[in-house]
Amino acid sequence: MSDLRNTSLHIGFDDTDSLRGSCTTFLALRLVERISNDVDFLDYPRLIRNNPNIPWKTRGNGAIGLSLKVEEDVVESIVERAIDTLKEMYEEDENTNPGLVIVKGEVPQELNQFARKALTEVISIATAKDFAEEFCFKYYTIGNGRGLIGGIAAIGNTLQPELEDFTYEILTYRMPQNIKKKRVIDYESLAQADKKYSPQVFNNIDEETKKIIITPAGPDPVLYGIRGEEPTILLKMMKEIKTMEPISSYCIFRTNQGTDQHFKYASSEVVNFNVFRGEIKVLEKPTTIPGGHVIFQGELVSNKKSVDIAAFEPSKRFRNIIKNLLPEDRIIAFGGVRYKEKFQRFTIQLEKCEILFLADHFKEESPFCPTCNKRMISNGFNKGHKCRKCGYKNRELTKVRTLIERELSRGLFIPPAQAQRHLVKPHRRYNLSRKNVFGLIDNWWKT
Ligand code: ATP
């Protein structure tokens, strides 16, 4: 590191892509390449996933934050290069509203708080503009500038190891001529590498369907991404996965993916589009509605308000857990809130669920015949039971209550990887020890 590079800069940006193409992470790599000779990077580019429930996201609501040190007299030139890269690479679309923010010096605490809100609530563009005016050295927007929200959050969410859990993702990119072609990954090489490096890598193959889940579906430049705990392992694994096309470039990002960070800051208040984490008492037996979604009415333990809880079709086997809940059971629901105007009701769309308590439920059945041991039938109201086989009758015999054996156990349940949102912490990460440092490895990016 050069002594002269003693000015810290933090660059955050978002909303540069559309479903027709591009990817904010690719823009980040280009910018890294363009400024790398003049800066010392303090961190990997951070790929921050924000509130997954906001309706205007393109895919996974991801934003990028870069933290670096630079000489004071090149600050302006770095700002220019950042703005030029954004202008040149964003995907023009009516729903693309890029925003870029630059903070000079320490990241103000207010931005840390903003980042927590961005994870769990909806923030207005006006609020983001006020923040940019007050706390940022420079900002730049196109369209309505909505990207400022994610940009500020990506600077404010510093993922300090002593405070936050974090993971890494290595993203590999395609040659431009291949972008519209089908992505082909060799299944065997991926399955082998996944087994070899597990649990240091996660969400490569969906455990239920065996589907490869490292590739995106759209026309963006990403070939695949591998998620994991250590940058060196991601680099190794990248070299072991066989693909039918060459990789043009790659970059390692530090991220909040797979950490449940949104649930860490969630509240148990039910607000449209917010992230929810709270205790629920089950009020009725769940039902399956057309489309295969499972839904039931529950009560918020904190304020006794009634709310609908839903497990959607893509969550597959997870729905069977939810389907088996019964009244008086207690769960912690983790998910996103939606308000349905038509029914004037809130629904919590489950991302995971912890069963805290399973209530006793009984069934009432006719007793077995004391002479021939066949199940008896009722002999009419208050007239006891009779046996159809041997004819035995007894006016005193009443129904017997037996405890229903529940097909559930207490514990944490998570939908299969394929249906998980980026932020959700998968089972594979639960028993890992916490990382308390990070350091940039050689070759963390390549173009
Ligand atoms: P990709 O994953 O491909 O990068 P995306 O899913 O991140 O795409 P964007 O096109 O970036 O989608 O759109 C998300 C928009 O939502 C951005 O403008 C971002 O600033 C904004 N946004 C992010 N978090 C919040 C929030 N909590 N409240 C309001 N707006 C938000």
PDB file of all heavy atoms in Angstrom, residues 14-18 22-25 49-51 54 56-63 95 97 117-124 146-151, ligand 1:
ATOM      1  N   ASP A  14     -26.276   0.980  -7.898  1.00  0.00           N
ATOM      2  CA  ASP A  14     -27.336  -0.019  -8.059  1.00  0.00           C
ATOM      3  C   ASP A  14     -28.245   0.379  -9.209  1.00  0.00           C
ATOM      4  O   ASP A  14     -28.192   1.508  -9.695  1.00  0.00           O
ATOM      5  CB  ASP A  14     -28.174  -0.097  -6.760  1.00  0.00           C
ATOM      6  CG  ASP A  14     -29.049  -1.350  -6.723  1.00  0.00           C
ATOM      7  OD1 ASP A  14     -28.929  -2.200  -7.632  1.00  0.00           O
ATOM      8  OD2 ASP A  14     -29.841  -1.473  -5.784  1.00  0.00           O
ATOM      9  N   ASP A  15     -29.063  -0.591  -9.606  1.00  0.00           N
ATOM     10  CA  ASP A  15     -30.102  -0.398 -10.619  1.00  0.00           C
ATOM     11  C   ASP A  15     -29.507  -0.039 -11.975  1.00  0.00           C
ATOM     12  O   ASP A  15     -29.904   0.938 -12.621  1.00  0.00           O
ATOM     13  CB  ASP A  15     -31.078   0.706 -10.162  1.00  0.00           C
ATOM     14  CG  ASP A  15     -32.489   0.440 -10.673  1.00  0.00           C
ATOM     15  OD1 ASP A  15     -32.635  -0.272 -11.683  1.00  0.00           O
ATOM     16  OD2 ASP A  15     -33.437   0.960 -10.058  1.00  0.00           O
ATOM     17  N   THR A  16     -28.589  -0.854 -12.433  1.00  0.00           N
ATOM     18  CA  THR A  16     -27.949  -0.575 -13.713  1.00  0.00           C
ATOM     19  C   THR A  16     -28.375  -1.581 -14.771  1.00  0.00           C
ATOM     20  O   THR A  16     -28.026  -1.455 -15.931  1.00  0.00           O
ATOM     21  CB  THR A  16     -26.416  -0.661 -13.584  1.00  0.00           C
ATOM     22  OG1 THR A  16     -26.061  -2.013 -13.312  1.00  0.00           O
ATOM     23  CG2 THR A  16     -25.906   0.256 -12.498  1.00  0.00           C
ATOM     24  N   ASP A  17     -29.111  -2.627 -14.321  1.00  0.00           N
ATOM     25  CA  ASP A  17     -29.453  -3.671 -15.291  1.00  0.00           C
ATOM     26  C   ASP A  17     -30.952  -3.796 -15.475  1.00  0.00           C
ATOM     27  O   ASP A  17     -31.740  -3.220 -14.731  1.00  0.00           O
ATOM     28  CB  ASP A  17     -28.880  -5.024 -14.853  1.00  0.00           C
ATOM     29  CG  ASP A  17     -29.222  -5.333 -13.402  1.00  0.00           C
ATOM     30  OD1 ASP A  17     -30.006  -4.586 -12.812  1.00  0.00           O
ATOM     31  OD2 ASP A  17     -28.696  -6.319 -12.891  1.00  0.00           O
ATOM     32  N   SER A  18     -31.341  -4.559 -16.487  1.00  0.00           N
ATOM     33  CA  SER A  18     -32.757  -4.855 -16.697  1.00  0.00           C
ATOM     34  C   SER A  18     -32.841  -6.322 -17.066  1.00  0.00           C
ATOM     35  O   SER A  18     -31.818  -6.991 -17.211  1.00  0.00           O
ATOM     36  CB  SER A  18     -33.324  -3.993 -17.826  1.00  0.00           C
ATOM     37  OG  SER A  18     -32.968  -4.558 -19.065  1.00  0.00           O
ATOM     38  N   SER A  22     -27.214  -7.042 -19.080  1.00  0.00           N
ATOM     39  CA  SER A  22     -26.271  -6.414 -18.161  1.00  0.00           C
ATOM     40  C   SER A  22     -26.384  -6.993 -16.733  1.00  0.00           C
ATOM     41  O   SER A  22     -27.198  -7.848 -16.452  1.00  0.00           O
ATOM     42  CB  SER A  22     -26.467  -4.901 -18.139  1.00  0.00           C
ATOM     43  OG  SER A  22     -25.372  -4.318 -17.478  1.00  0.00           O
ATOM     44  N   CYS A  23     -25.519  -6.515 -15.862  1.00  0.00           N
ATOM     45  CA  CYS A  23     -25.513  -6.981 -14.481  1.00  0.00           C
ATOM     46  C   CYS A  23     -24.663  -5.996 -13.691  1.00  0.00           C
ATOM     47  O   CYS A  23     -23.562  -5.638 -14.127  1.00  0.00           O
ATOM     48  CB  CYS A  23     -24.907  -8.380 -14.415  1.00  0.00           C
ATOM     49  SG  CYS A  23     -24.760  -8.966 -12.739  1.00  0.00           S
ATOM     50  N   THR A  24     -25.195  -5.563 -12.565  1.00  0.00           N
ATOM     51  CA  THR A  24     -24.482  -4.561 -11.768  1.00  0.00           C
ATOM     52  C   THR A  24     -23.096  -5.076 -11.333  1.00  0.00           C
ATOM     53  O   THR A  24     -22.147  -4.312 -11.224  1.00  0.00           O
ATOM     54  CB  THR A  24     -25.342  -4.156 -10.550  1.00  0.00           C
ATOM     55  OG1 THR A  24     -26.619  -3.741 -11.037  1.00  0.00           O
ATOM     56  CG2 THR A  24     -24.736  -3.006  -9.784  1.00  0.00           C
ATOM     57  N   THR A  25     -22.979  -6.390 -11.130  1.00  0.00           N
ATOM     58  CA  THR A  25     -21.682  -6.934 -10.702  1.00  0.00           C
ATOM     59  C   THR A  25     -20.642  -6.817 -11.827  1.00  0.00           C
ATOM     60  O   THR A  25     -19.459  -6.658 -11.575  1.00  0.00           O
ATOM     61  CB  THR A  25     -21.791  -8.418 -10.306  1.00  0.00           C
ATOM     62  OG1 THR A  25     -22.101  -9.205 -11.457  1.00  0.00           O
ATOM     63  CG2 THR A  25     -22.826  -8.642  -9.222  1.00  0.00           C
ATOM     64  N   ARG A  49     -27.237  -7.742  -0.767  1.00  0.00           N
ATOM     65  CA  ARG A  49     -28.640  -8.020  -1.095  1.00  0.00           C
ATOM     66  C   ARG A  49     -29.511  -7.246  -0.116  1.00  0.00           C
ATOM     67  O   ARG A  49     -29.321  -7.356   1.099  1.00  0.00           O
ATOM     68  CB  ARG A  49     -28.933  -9.513  -0.969  1.00  0.00           C
ATOM     69  CG  ARG A  49     -28.095 -10.389  -1.870  1.00  0.00           C
ATOM     70  CD  ARG A  49     -28.499 -10.267  -3.306  1.00  0.00           C
ATOM     71  NE  ARG A  49     -27.676 -11.067  -4.201  1.00  0.00           N
ATOM     72  CZ  ARG A  49     -27.861 -11.131  -5.500  1.00  0.00           C
ATOM     73  NH1 ARG A  49     -28.832 -10.435  -6.076  1.00  0.00           N
ATOM     74  NH2 ARG A  49     -27.085 -11.858  -6.262  1.00  0.00           N
ATOM     75  N   ASN A  50     -30.431  -6.466  -0.649  1.00  0.00           N
ATOM     76  CA  ASN A  50     -31.341  -5.699   0.199  1.00  0.00           C
ATOM     77  C   ASN A  50     -32.723  -6.349   0.237  1.00  0.00           C
ATOM     78  O   ASN A  50     -32.911  -7.429  -0.332  1.00  0.00           O
ATOM     79  CB  ASN A  50     -31.379  -4.248  -0.289  1.00  0.00           C
ATOM     80  CG  ASN A  50     -30.085  -3.537   0.049  1.00  0.00           C
ATOM     81  OD1 ASN A  50     -29.655  -3.543   1.210  1.00  0.00           O
ATOM     82  ND2 ASN A  50     -29.412  -2.971  -0.944  1.00  0.00           N
ATOM     83  N   ASN A  51     -33.647  -5.669   0.911  1.00  0.00           N
ATOM     84  CA  ASN A  51     -35.006  -6.216   1.123  1.00  0.00           C
ATOM     85  C   ASN A  51     -35.520  -6.994  -0.099  1.00  0.00           C
ATOM     86  O   ASN A  51     -35.785  -6.404  -1.144  1.00  0.00           O
ATOM     87  CB  ASN A  51     -35.949  -5.045   1.463  1.00  0.00           C
ATOM     88  CG  ASN A  51     -37.345  -5.511   1.777  1.00  0.00           C
ATOM     89  OD1 ASN A  51     -37.668  -6.686   1.602  1.00  0.00           O
ATOM     90  ND2 ASN A  51     -38.177  -4.593   2.245  1.00  0.00           N
ATOM     91  N   ILE A  54     -39.160  -5.990  -2.140  1.00  0.00           N
ATOM     92  CA  ILE A  54     -39.583  -4.788  -2.862  1.00  0.00           C
ATOM     93  C   ILE A  54     -39.999  -5.180  -4.285  1.00  0.00           C
ATOM     94  O   ILE A  54     -39.332  -5.981  -4.934  1.00  0.00           O
ATOM     95  CB  ILE A  54     -38.497  -3.694  -2.885  1.00  0.00           C
ATOM     96  CG1 ILE A  54     -37.205  -4.238  -3.436  1.00  0.00           C
ATOM     97  CG2 ILE A  54     -38.298  -3.053  -1.536  1.00  0.00           C
ATOM     98  CD1 ILE A  54     -36.427  -3.199  -4.122  1.00  0.00           C
ATOM     99  N   TRP A  56     -40.100  -3.667  -7.162  1.00  0.00           N
ATOM    100  CA  TRP A  56     -39.473  -3.153  -8.386  1.00  0.00           C
ATOM    101  C   TRP A  56     -38.062  -3.701  -8.613  1.00  0.00           C
ATOM    102  O   TRP A  56     -37.314  -3.167  -9.416  1.00  0.00           O
ATOM    103  CB  TRP A  56     -39.443  -1.612  -8.382  1.00  0.00           C
ATOM    104  CG  TRP A  56     -39.049  -1.052  -7.044  1.00  0.00           C
ATOM    105  CD1 TRP A  56     -37.790  -0.909  -6.568  1.00  0.00           C
ATOM    106  CD2 TRP A  56     -39.919  -0.597  -6.013  1.00  0.00           C
ATOM    107  NE1 TRP A  56     -37.806  -0.400  -5.302  1.00  0.00           N
ATOM    108  CE2 TRP A  56     -39.117  -0.190  -4.935  1.00  0.00           C
ATOM    109  CE3 TRP A  56     -41.314  -0.492  -5.897  1.00  0.00           C
ATOM    110  CZ2 TRP A  56     -39.655   0.314  -3.754  1.00  0.00           C
ATOM    111  CZ3 TRP A  56     -41.832   0.008  -4.720  1.00  0.00           C
ATOM    112  CH2 TRP A  56     -41.015   0.395  -3.673  1.00  0.00           C
ATOM    113  N   LYS A  57     -37.702  -4.753  -7.921  1.00  0.00           N
ATOM    114  CA  LYS A  57     -36.366  -5.321  -8.166  1.00  0.00           C
ATOM    115  C   LYS A  57     -36.359  -6.088  -9.500  1.00  0.00           C
ATOM    116  O   LYS A  57     -37.412  -6.532  -9.969  1.00  0.00           O
ATOM    117  CB  LYS A  57     -35.969  -6.253  -7.025  1.00  0.00           C
ATOM    118  CG  LYS A  57     -36.880  -7.448  -6.942  1.00  0.00           C
ATOM    119  CD  LYS A  57     -36.506  -8.396  -5.852  1.00  0.00           C
ATOM    120  CE  LYS A  57     -37.465  -9.571  -5.879  1.00  0.00           C
ATOM    121  NZ  LYS A  57     -37.193 -10.614  -4.972  1.00  0.00           N
ATOM    122  N   THR A  58     -35.181  -6.236 -10.093  1.00  0.00           N
ATOM    123  CA  THR A  58     -35.089  -7.001 -11.335  1.00  0.00           C
ATOM    124  C   THR A  58     -34.996  -8.480 -11.006  1.00  0.00           C
ATOM    125  O   THR A  58     -35.694  -9.313 -11.546  1.00  0.00           O
ATOM    126  CB  THR A  58     -33.834  -6.582 -12.142  1.00  0.00           C
ATOM    127  OG1 THR A  58     -33.817  -5.172 -12.231  1.00  0.00           O
ATOM    128  CG2 THR A  58     -33.859  -7.175 -13.534  1.00  0.00           C
ATOM    129  N   ARG A  59     -34.083  -8.812 -10.094  1.00  0.00           N
ATOM    130  CA  ARG A  59     -33.927 -10.222  -9.702  1.00  0.00           C
ATOM    131  C   ARG A  59     -33.760 -10.328  -8.191  1.00  0.00           C
ATOM    132  O   ARG A  59     -34.724 -10.427  -7.455  1.00  0.00           O
ATOM    133  CB  ARG A  59     -32.727 -10.837 -10.413  1.00  0.00           C
ATOM    134  CG  ARG A  59     -33.031 -11.253 -11.845  1.00  0.00           C
ATOM    135  CD  ARG A  59     -31.774 -11.722 -12.531  1.00  0.00           C
ATOM    136  NE  ARG A  59     -30.863 -10.615 -12.700  1.00  0.00           N
ATOM    137  CZ  ARG A  59     -30.591 -10.037 -13.860  1.00  0.00           C
ATOM    138  NH1 ARG A  59     -31.120 -10.506 -14.950  1.00  0.00           N
ATOM    139  NH2 ARG A  59     -29.764  -9.011 -13.945  1.00  0.00           N
ATOM    140  N   GLY A  60     -32.492 -10.252  -7.753  1.00  0.00           N
ATOM    141  CA  GLY A  60     -32.244 -10.532  -6.340  1.00  0.00           C
ATOM    142  C   GLY A  60     -32.000  -9.303  -5.484  1.00  0.00           C
ATOM    143  O   GLY A  60     -31.479  -9.410  -4.378  1.00  0.00           O
ATOM    144  N   ASN A  61     -32.369  -8.135  -5.980  1.00  0.00           N
ATOM    145  CA  ASN A  61     -32.132  -6.881  -5.257  1.00  0.00           C
ATOM    146  C   ASN A  61     -30.709  -6.787  -4.704  1.00  0.00           C
ATOM    147  O   ASN A  61     -30.496  -6.651  -3.504  1.00  0.00           O
ATOM    148  CB  ASN A  61     -33.164  -6.652  -4.149  1.00  0.00           C
ATOM    149  CG  ASN A  61     -33.204  -5.189  -3.724  1.00  0.00           C
ATOM    150  OD1 ASN A  61     -32.608  -4.325  -4.389  1.00  0.00           O
ATOM    151  ND2 ASN A  61     -33.879  -4.906  -2.643  1.00  0.00           N
ATOM    152  N   GLY A  62     -29.756  -6.826  -5.617  1.00  0.00           N
ATOM    153  CA  GLY A  62     -28.347  -6.734  -5.232  1.00  0.00           C
ATOM    154  C   GLY A  62     -27.762  -5.372  -5.598  1.00  0.00           C
ATOM    155  O   GLY A  62     -28.097  -4.791  -6.633  1.00  0.00           O
ATOM    156  N   ALA A  63     -26.928  -4.835  -4.725  1.00  0.00           N
ATOM    157  CA  ALA A  63     -26.235  -3.566  -4.990  1.00  0.00           C
ATOM    158  C   ALA A  63     -24.750  -3.775  -4.694  1.00  0.00           C
ATOM    159  O   ALA A  63     -24.375  -4.731  -4.010  1.00  0.00           O
ATOM    160  CB  ALA A  63     -26.798  -2.471  -4.100  1.00  0.00           C
ATOM    161  N   ASN A  95     -37.469   0.737 -16.676  1.00  0.00           N
ATOM    162  CA  ASN A  95     -37.411   0.343 -15.267  1.00  0.00           C
ATOM    163  C   ASN A  95     -36.006   0.376 -14.696  1.00  0.00           C
ATOM    164  O   ASN A  95     -35.758  -0.159 -13.624  1.00  0.00           O
ATOM    165  CB  ASN A  95     -37.992  -1.064 -15.097  1.00  0.00           C
ATOM    166  CG  ASN A  95     -39.469  -1.088 -15.408  1.00  0.00           C
ATOM    167  OD1 ASN A  95     -40.190  -0.166 -15.048  1.00  0.00           O
ATOM    168  ND2 ASN A  95     -39.904  -2.115 -16.121  1.00  0.00           N
ATOM    169  N   ASN A  97     -33.117   2.622 -13.245  1.00  0.00           N
ATOM    170  CA  ASN A  97     -32.921   3.971 -12.689  1.00  0.00           C
ATOM    171  C   ASN A  97     -31.637   4.020 -11.876  1.00  0.00           C
ATOM    172  O   ASN A  97     -31.661   4.013 -10.643  1.00  0.00           O
ATOM    173  CB  ASN A  97     -34.116   4.334 -11.805  1.00  0.00           C
ATOM    174  CG  ASN A  97     -35.408   4.417 -12.603  1.00  0.00           C
ATOM    175  OD1 ASN A  97     -35.581   5.319 -13.418  1.00  0.00           O
ATOM    176  ND2 ASN A  97     -36.286   3.459 -12.391  1.00  0.00           N
ATOM    177  N   LYS A 117     -32.166  -0.486   7.397  1.00  0.00           N
ATOM    178  CA  LYS A 117     -33.544  -0.271   6.930  1.00  0.00           C
ATOM    179  C   LYS A 117     -33.719  -0.833   5.530  1.00  0.00           C
ATOM    180  O   LYS A 117     -34.747  -1.398   5.196  1.00  0.00           O
ATOM    181  CB  LYS A 117     -33.849   1.231   6.893  1.00  0.00           C
ATOM    182  CG  LYS A 117     -34.473   1.741   8.155  1.00  0.00           C
ATOM    183  CD  LYS A 117     -34.841   3.201   7.968  1.00  0.00           C
ATOM    184  CE  LYS A 117     -35.646   3.693   9.140  1.00  0.00           C
ATOM    185  NZ  LYS A 117     -36.974   4.053   8.873  1.00  0.00           N
ATOM    186  N   ALA A 118     -32.699  -0.652   4.693  1.00  0.00           N
ATOM    187  CA  ALA A 118     -32.802  -1.120   3.309  1.00  0.00           C
ATOM    188  C   ALA A 118     -32.934  -2.637   3.241  1.00  0.00           C
ATOM    189  O   ALA A 118     -33.462  -3.179   2.280  1.00  0.00           O
ATOM    190  CB  ALA A 118     -31.581  -0.658   2.511  1.00  0.00           C
ATOM    191  N   LEU A 119     -32.458  -3.305   4.278  1.00  0.00           N
ATOM    192  CA  LEU A 119     -32.560  -4.763   4.320  1.00  0.00           C
ATOM    193  C   LEU A 119     -33.965  -5.235   4.644  1.00  0.00           C
ATOM    194  O   LEU A 119     -34.353  -6.342   4.279  1.00  0.00           O
ATOM    195  CB  LEU A 119     -31.671  -5.299   5.442  1.00  0.00           C
ATOM    196  CG  LEU A 119     -30.223  -5.586   5.164  1.00  0.00           C
ATOM    197  CD1 LEU A 119     -29.491  -5.790   6.477  1.00  0.00           C
ATOM    198  CD2 LEU A 119     -30.072  -6.810   4.290  1.00  0.00           C
ATOM    199  N   THR A 120     -34.696  -4.415   5.384  1.00  0.00           N
ATOM    200  CA  THR A 120     -35.949  -4.904   5.968  1.00  0.00           C
ATOM    201  C   THR A 120     -37.193  -4.097   5.619  1.00  0.00           C
ATOM    202  O   THR A 120     -38.288  -4.573   5.807  1.00  0.00           O
ATOM    203  CB  THR A 120     -35.842  -4.890   7.513  1.00  0.00           C
ATOM    204  OG1 THR A 120     -35.466  -3.572   7.910  1.00  0.00           O
ATOM    205  CG2 THR A 120     -34.829  -5.884   8.012  1.00  0.00           C
ATOM    206  N   GLU A 121     -36.990  -2.848   5.165  1.00  0.00           N
ATOM    207  CA  GLU A 121     -38.154  -1.976   4.934  1.00  0.00           C
ATOM    208  C   GLU A 121     -38.112  -1.406   3.526  1.00  0.00           C
ATOM    209  O   GLU A 121     -37.185  -1.675   2.774  1.00  0.00           O
ATOM    210  CB  GLU A 121     -38.136  -0.800   5.933  1.00  0.00           C
ATOM    211  CG  GLU A 121     -38.203  -1.238   7.367  1.00  0.00           C
ATOM    212  CD  GLU A 121     -38.072  -0.062   8.336  1.00  0.00           C
ATOM    213  OE1 GLU A 121     -38.320   1.096   7.924  1.00  0.00           O
ATOM    214  OE2 GLU A 121     -37.718  -0.314   9.493  1.00  0.00           O
ATOM    215  N   VAL A 122     -39.079  -0.562   3.217  1.00  0.00           N
ATOM    216  CA  VAL A 122     -39.063   0.148   1.935  1.00  0.00           C
ATOM    217  C   VAL A 122     -38.619   1.580   2.198  1.00  0.00           C
ATOM    218  O   VAL A 122     -39.140   2.243   3.094  1.00  0.00           O
ATOM    219  CB  VAL A 122     -40.468   0.153   1.287  1.00  0.00           C
ATOM    220  CG1 VAL A 122     -40.468   0.984   0.013  1.00  0.00           C
ATOM    221  CG2 VAL A 122     -40.904  -1.268   0.984  1.00  0.00           C
ATOM    222  N   ILE A 123     -37.645   2.031   1.434  1.00  0.00           N
ATOM    223  CA  ILE A 123     -37.136   3.393   1.610  1.00  0.00           C
ATOM    224  C   ILE A 123     -37.529   4.197   0.365  1.00  0.00           C
ATOM    225  O   ILE A 123     -37.477   3.683  -0.756  1.00  0.00           O
ATOM    226  CB  ILE A 123     -35.598   3.369   1.782  1.00  0.00           C
ATOM    227  CG1 ILE A 123     -35.228   2.566   3.030  1.00  0.00           C
ATOM    228  CG2 ILE A 123     -35.021   4.781   1.851  1.00  0.00           C
ATOM    229  CD1 ILE A 123     -33.739   2.408   3.260  1.00  0.00           C
ATOM    230  N   SER A 124     -37.900   5.461   0.557  1.00  0.00           N
ATOM    231  CA  SER A 124     -38.316   6.259  -0.607  1.00  0.00           C
ATOM    232  C   SER A 124     -37.097   6.863  -1.299  1.00  0.00           C
ATOM    233  O   SER A 124     -36.027   7.030  -0.691  1.00  0.00           O
ATOM    234  CB  SER A 124     -39.270   7.373  -0.159  1.00  0.00           C
ATOM    235  OG  SER A 124     -38.526   8.330   0.577  1.00  0.00           O
ATOM    236  N   ARG A 146     -33.617   5.793  -8.466  1.00  0.00           N
ATOM    237  CA  ARG A 146     -33.930   4.838  -7.402  1.00  0.00           C
ATOM    238  C   ARG A 146     -32.703   4.039  -6.947  1.00  0.00           C
ATOM    239  O   ARG A 146     -32.599   3.613  -5.804  1.00  0.00           O
ATOM    240  CB  ARG A 146     -35.030   3.891  -7.863  1.00  0.00           C
ATOM    241  CG  ARG A 146     -35.461   2.951  -6.789  1.00  0.00           C
ATOM    242  CD  ARG A 146     -36.565   2.032  -7.249  1.00  0.00           C
ATOM    243  NE  ARG A 146     -37.860   2.653  -7.079  1.00  0.00           N
ATOM    244  CZ  ARG A 146     -38.865   2.530  -7.923  1.00  0.00           C
ATOM    245  NH1 ARG A 146     -38.729   1.805  -8.993  1.00  0.00           N
ATOM    246  NH2 ARG A 146     -40.005   3.129  -7.685  1.00  0.00           N
ATOM    247  N   GLY A 147     -31.768   3.882  -7.870  1.00  0.00           N
ATOM    248  CA  GLY A 147     -30.558   3.125  -7.547  1.00  0.00           C
ATOM    249  C   GLY A 147     -29.752   3.712  -6.399  1.00  0.00           C
ATOM    250  O   GLY A 147     -28.888   3.037  -5.825  1.00  0.00           O
ATOM    251  N   LEU A 148     -30.039   4.977  -6.044  1.00  0.00           N
ATOM    252  CA  LEU A 148     -29.338   5.593  -4.898  1.00  0.00           C
ATOM    253  C   LEU A 148     -29.582   4.784  -3.634  1.00  0.00           C
ATOM    254  O   LEU A 148     -28.702   4.668  -2.773  1.00  0.00           O
ATOM    255  CB  LEU A 148     -29.871   7.012  -4.648  1.00  0.00           C
ATOM    256  CG  LEU A 148     -29.419   8.163  -5.534  1.00  0.00           C
ATOM    257  CD1 LEU A 148     -30.068   9.449  -5.036  1.00  0.00           C
ATOM    258  CD2 LEU A 148     -27.901   8.280  -5.524  1.00  0.00           C
ATOM    259  N   ILE A 149     -30.798   4.208  -3.534  1.00  0.00           N
ATOM    260  CA  ILE A 149     -31.174   3.485  -2.296  1.00  0.00           C
ATOM    261  C   ILE A 149     -30.210   2.317  -2.083  1.00  0.00           C
ATOM    262  O   ILE A 149     -29.561   2.204  -1.033  1.00  0.00           O
ATOM    263  CB  ILE A 149     -32.644   2.992  -2.367  1.00  0.00           C
ATOM    264  CG1 ILE A 149     -33.587   4.167  -2.621  1.00  0.00           C
ATOM    265  CG2 ILE A 149     -33.030   2.231  -1.101  1.00  0.00           C
ATOM    266  CD1 ILE A 149     -35.001   3.779  -3.052  1.00  0.00           C
ATOM    267  N   GLY A 150     -30.100   1.469  -3.108  1.00  0.00           N
ATOM    268  CA  GLY A 150     -29.190   0.321  -2.991  1.00  0.00           C
ATOM    269  C   GLY A 150     -27.743   0.768  -2.875  1.00  0.00           C
ATOM    270  O   GLY A 150     -26.952   0.170  -2.128  1.00  0.00           O
ATOM    271  N   GLY A 151     -27.387   1.827  -3.605  1.00  0.00           N
ATOM    272  CA  GLY A 151     -26.009   2.327  -3.584  1.00  0.00           C
ATOM    273  C   GLY A 151     -25.588   2.772  -2.184  1.00  0.00           C
ATOM    274  O   GLY A 151     -24.511   2.409  -1.693  1.00  0.00           O
TER     275      GLY A 151
HETATM  276  P1  ATP B   1     -29.855  -7.604  -9.991  1.00  0.00           P
HETATM  277  O1  ATP B   1     -30.012  -8.580  -8.883  1.00  0.00           O
HETATM  278  O2  ATP B   1     -29.854  -8.211 -11.321  1.00  0.00           O
HETATM  279  O3  ATP B   1     -28.716  -6.648  -9.750  1.00  0.00           O
HETATM  280  P2  ATP B   1     -31.904  -6.229  -8.794  1.00  0.00           P
HETATM  281  O4  ATP B   1     -32.842  -7.296  -8.438  1.00  0.00           O
HETATM  282  O5  ATP B   1     -30.880  -5.750  -7.843  1.00  0.00           O
HETATM  283  O6  ATP B   1     -31.157  -6.673 -10.059  1.00  0.00           O
HETATM  284  P3  ATP B   1     -32.499  -3.551  -9.473  1.00  0.00           P
HETATM  285  O7  ATP B   1     -32.726  -3.370 -10.931  1.00  0.00           O
HETATM  286  O8  ATP B   1     -31.197  -3.151  -8.915  1.00  0.00           O
HETATM  287  O9  ATP B   1     -32.857  -5.048  -9.160  1.00  0.00           O
HETATM  288  O10 ATP B   1     -33.677  -2.819  -8.727  1.00  0.00           O
HETATM  289  C1  ATP B   1     -33.794  -2.752  -7.333  1.00  0.00           C
HETATM  290  C2  ATP B   1     -34.126  -1.321  -6.991  1.00  0.00           C
HETATM  291  O11 ATP B   1     -34.681  -1.260  -5.700  1.00  0.00           O
HETATM  292  C3  ATP B   1     -32.895  -0.434  -6.956  1.00  0.00           C
HETATM  293  O12 ATP B   1     -33.231   0.799  -7.522  1.00  0.00           O
HETATM  294  C4  ATP B   1     -32.612  -0.245  -5.474  1.00  0.00           C
HETATM  295  O13 ATP B   1     -31.975   0.978  -5.196  1.00  0.00           O
HETATM  296  C5  ATP B   1     -33.997  -0.297  -4.924  1.00  0.00           C
HETATM  297  N1  ATP B   1     -34.064  -0.743  -3.533  1.00  0.00           N
HETATM  298  C6  ATP B   1     -33.227  -1.594  -2.898  1.00  0.00           C
HETATM  299  N2  ATP B   1     -33.592  -1.754  -1.621  1.00  0.00           N
HETATM  300  C7  ATP B   1     -34.670  -0.991  -1.426  1.00  0.00           C
HETATM  301  C8  ATP B   1     -35.497  -0.719  -0.307  1.00  0.00           C
HETATM  302  N3  ATP B   1     -35.292  -1.294   0.857  1.00  0.00           N
HETATM  303  N4  ATP B   1     -36.516   0.139  -0.474  1.00  0.00           N
HETATM  304  C9  ATP B   1     -36.761   0.715  -1.659  1.00  0.00           C
HETATM  305  N5  ATP B   1     -36.022   0.496  -2.749  1.00  0.00           N
HETATM  306  C10 ATP B   1     -34.994  -0.345  -2.653  1.00  0.00           C
END
